[in-house]
Amino acid sequence: MPEVDLVLAVLVLAAGTYAIRLGGVGFGGFRLALRLEQWSEPAVVVLLASVATTSALYEGSDFAGWARVVGVAVAALAAAVRAPLVAVVVVAAGVTACLRALGVH
């Protein structure tokens, strides 16, 4: 039942995000403390980076293989040079597929 755990985690995070947004905008102009606001933006970046890194490196509890790691690295480079999202995805998938076709897993 890992799918149920994943759905539950996404729902909890969505509810928490909505509550924070609602608290910052509504309820008589209540705003989060300045330190919390300054800390929360980098925390979101770190959280997303850690999820992306884990997804890039692992498939379940096993190493995903070098083809996926290289594909994600190529995607990061394409994004860094501000390529369109479609191009980033296509290039990453193409590099990963080519490496797997060459026997790199």
Side-chain angles (χ1 to χ4, degrees):
M1 291 243 193
E3 297 87 19
V4 173
D5 293 339
L6 179 62
V7 170
L8 182 62
V10 169
L11 290 175
V12 168
L13 287 172
T17 301
Y18 182 74
I20 289 171
R21 292 289 182 181
L22 188 62
V25 175
F27 299 122
F30 171 77
R31 299 280 298 163
L32 295 174
L34 182 58
R35 284 185 189 232
L36 181 58
E37 283 186 26
Q38 291 173 343
W39 178 82
S40 65
E41 194 169 321
V44 169
V45 173
V46 170
L47 178 64
L48 289 174
S50 65
V51 169
T53 302
T54 303
S55 298
L57 295 177
Y58 293 100
E59 189 169 318
S61 61
D62 299 325
F63 179 61
W66 288 108
R68 183 186 292 181
V69 173
V70 172
V72 170
V74 168
L77 288 173
V81 297
R82 296 183 179 248
L85 179 61
V86 173
V88 170
V89 172
V90 169
V91 167
V95 167
T96 302
C98 287
L99 287 174
R100 286 185 177 164
L102 293 172
V104 177
H105 293 282

